[in-house]
Amino acid sequence: MSRIRIVIMGPPGVGKGTYAQAVASRFRVPHISTGELLRREIAASTELGLKTKVFVEKGVLVPDEIVNEVLCKYLSSEECKLGYVLDGYPRTLTQAAFLETVAPVDVAILLEAPLEVIVERISGRLYCPSCGRVYHARWRPPTVEGVCDACGTPLTRRRDDEPSVVATRFKQFYETSGGVVEFYRRLGKLFVFDASVDSSVGVPLLLEKLERLLSAKLRAEKVQQEQVA
Ligand SMILES: [Zn+2]
């Protein structure tokens, strides 16, 4: 298998992390989130890490130049020799254009699911504030409704999981990422996948489609190279 570079996008709660992990392990490439890379730089107290820390401590977004520099350093490392699966990057057109200049994407996957599906998925999550057990109203309900099986404490919902918060973040994703999605569409690199089914069904389906897509792409490139030669 030759080098493979993938970007995964989608609204919060669509299951990006799960899909990204699966794709990364299938193609034996690292699954990278820029947040994780920034945290590593800070922990290692590198020059870039110290610059990053200033913004993180102020609670403001780390500027594009720094994120790009951290990413560039990582993409040129041995770890990314066979490619990458990027999650949470690019968020802006500037970042998307930058990535094309340093390590062009092969496929940009957009995971989609209707808002109602995502709301049900996320807002069904219930937590025990006492022992930390996690439940789901539909898929992992407690024996007695609203009460923790282990300790009998009334279950609660995290504020971020409230339907109104989920709806706002859903809308925000399309507002901020619309340009990036369009950017990949115009390059012919966008691959839209319906992630409204459960990930146990969705993950194998995505992997199968992705493999077919990539082998077709590889064949086309080979033909092109032979014609040039
Ligand atoms: Zn409990």
Side-chain angles (χ1 to χ4, degrees):
M1 189 72 198
S2 60
R3 197 208 59 231
I4 172 80
R5 293 165 173 165
I6 293 174
V7 158
I8 290 199
M9 307 174 284
V14 80
K16 237 180 339 178
T18 309
Y19 283 93
Q21 275 299 352
V23 171
S25 81
R26 173 65 192 79
F27 294 103
R28 298 195 184 85
V29 293
H31 167 206
I32 317 161
S33 90
T34 42
E36 177 58 34
L37 291 182
L38 292 173
R39 277 191 293 276
R40 274 198 221 171
E41 292 290 328
I42 293 175
S45 292
T46 61
E47 197 186 321
L48 276 168
L50 295 174
K51 275 195 227 168
T52 306
K53 209 173 158 190
V54 175
F55 295 96
V56 173
E57 278 172 354
K58 272 193 235 161
V60 294
L61 222 59
V62 180
D64 268 2
E65 311 93 78
I66 295 182
V67 179
N68 289 351
E69 212 178 317
V70 168
L71 186 71
C72 197
K73 182 178 157 189
Y74 182 69
L75 292 181
S76 54
S77 74
E78 188 66 17
E79 225 178 300
C80 295
K81 211 175 64 187
L82 292 177
Y84 57 73
V85 174
L86 263 179
D87 170 0
Y89 184 100
R91 283 187 204 280
T92 63
L93 268 177
T94 318
Q95 290 179 344
F98 173 78
L99 187 58
E100 285 302 301
T101 64
V102 291
V105 169
D106 293 307
V107 185
I109 302 170
L110 172 64
L111 299 174
E112 288 206 302
L115 177 60
E116 310 83 74
V117 173
I118 293 181
V119 165
E120 195 200 18
R121 217 177 260 173
I122 298 183
S123 301
R125 288 184 199 156
L126 298 166
Y127 301 86
C128 172
S130 171
C131 73
R133 270 183 201 231
V134 185
Y135 299 87
H136 192 283
R138 182 160 167 201
W139 293 292
R140 203 164 169 254
T143 314
V144 180
E145 200 188 323
V147 180
C148 178
D149 287 348
C151 67
T153 309
L155 300 175
T156 57
R157 194 195 258 159
R158 282 191 189 146
R159 208 195 105 61
D160 271 2
D161 295 351
E162 293 291 340
S164 62
V165 177
V166 176
T168 305
R169 294 177 67 205
F170 185 87
K171 225 178 95 204
Q172 272 168 356
F173 168 76
Y174 285 99
E175 277 166 12
T176 55
S177 304
V180 175
V181 170
E182 204 38 50
F183 175 83
Y184 288 120
R185 196 191 304 276
R186 256 182 269 132
L187 286 178
K189 295 182 173 183
L190 187 69
F191 174 63
V192 182
F193 183 77
D194 175 7
S196 58
V197 291
D198 191 81
S199 61
S200 62
V201 178
V203 165
L205 196 62
L206 174 72
L207 292 179
E208 191 196 316
K209 288 192 171 186
L210 202 54
E211 256 169 55
R212 231 180 295 149
L213 186 80
L214 289 168
S215 56
K217 192 175 145 67
L218 224 61
R219 268 199 306 275
E221 279 173 6
K222 219 172 169 185
V223 170
Q224 223 171 25
Q225 278 166 7
E226 278 165 10
Q227 279 170 350
V228 172

